[in-house]
Amino acid sequence: MDLERLKEKRKILRMSFTKHLTKIEFTLSKEISAEFNKEAKFEELLSLKSQLTEKLNELIKADENIQLQIKISEMAADISSCEEYKDRGLDLKTKLHRQIEILSERQEIRTNSPSTVNRDNTISFRETNLKLLNYLS
C-alpha cells in the first residue's frame, strides 16, 4: 500500500479511536441509576475495554506501517504524534480496568450452581469475572 493510502487509513482509525475514547469517558462518568444499574455498567465497561484494546492494536499497526515508509527526518514528529494517541488509550484503559474492579468488588450475582462457594448461593462478580478481566487485560 502506498504511503498516502496508509496515512488516510490511519486518519480514519484515529477518528474512530477518538470517538471511542469519548464514549468511554462518557460511560465512566455515567451515574448508576435504575435504568443503568451496576451490572449493566459493568458489562458495558468490559465491552468498551475489549473494543479499546482492538482499536489500539489496529492504530499501532497502522503507525508501524507508516513509519516503515516515511523519511527519517519525519519520523520523530510522527512517533510523537503516535505516542499521544497511545498514551491517551492506555490511560483510559487503566481507568476502565480500575472501574471494572470496583464494580466487580461491590456486586453479587445469584446462581443456582452447586459449585457455589457461599452458603446463600451467591458469588461475587470478582470471583466470576476474574478470569474474564485477566483475559481482557
Side-chain angles (χ1 to χ4, degrees), residues 3 6 61-71 75:
L3 184 58
L6 289 171
K61 189 187 310 182
D63 292 337
E64 290 171 349
N65 288 335
I66 289 172
Q67 290 165 7
L68 290 172
Q69 295 191 23
I70 61 175
K71 297 176 185 175
M75 197 168 294

Side-chain angles (χ1 to χ4, degrees), residues 1-14 58-72 74-75 77-79 81-82:
M1 209 181 282
D2 72 349
L3 184 58
E4 290 308 310
R5 291 176 77 72
L6 289 171
K7 285 184 176 184
E8 186 63 26
K9 179 179 178 180
R10 181 174 68 179
K11 178 181 170 184
I12 294 166
L13 288 172
R14 282 182 172 180
E58 288 178 21
L59 196 53
I60 289 170
K61 189 187 310 182
D63 292 337
E64 290 171 349
N65 288 335
I66 289 172
Q67 290 165 7
L68 290 172
Q69 295 191 23
I70 61 175
K71 297 176 185 175
I72 292 174
E74 299 171 356
M75 197 168 294
D78 190 74
I79 289 173
S81 174
C82 296

Side-chain angles (χ1 to χ4, degrees), residues 14 18 20-21 23 26 32 34 44 48 56 64 69 77 88 92 100-104 114 121-122 134-135:
R14 282 182 172 180
T18 301
H20 191 68
L21 295 182
K23 185 176 182 179
F26 174 76
I32 302 296
E44 186 167 347
L48 289 170
L56 188 56
E64 290 171 349
Q69 295 191 23
R88 287 177 55 212
L92 271 180
I100 289 167
E101 283 182 340
I102 290 169
L103 289 172
S104 69
N121 285 338
T122 62
N134 288 332
Y135 175 75

Side-chain angles (χ1 to χ4, degrees), residues 30-41:
K30 202 171 178 182
E31 295 293 324
I32 302 296
S33 65
E35 298 83 33
F36 190 65
N37 62 25
K38 290 178 184 180
E39 200 170 315
K41 185 170 185 174

Side-chain angles (χ1 to χ4, degrees), residues 19 26 35 39 52 65 85 94-97 109 123 128 132:
K19 285 180 184 178
F26 174 76
E35 298 83 33
E39 200 170 315
L52 176 60
N65 288 335
Y85 281 90
T94 301
K95 289 177 183 178
L96 272 171
H97 186 74
I109 299 177
I123 54 176
T128 59
L132 179 59

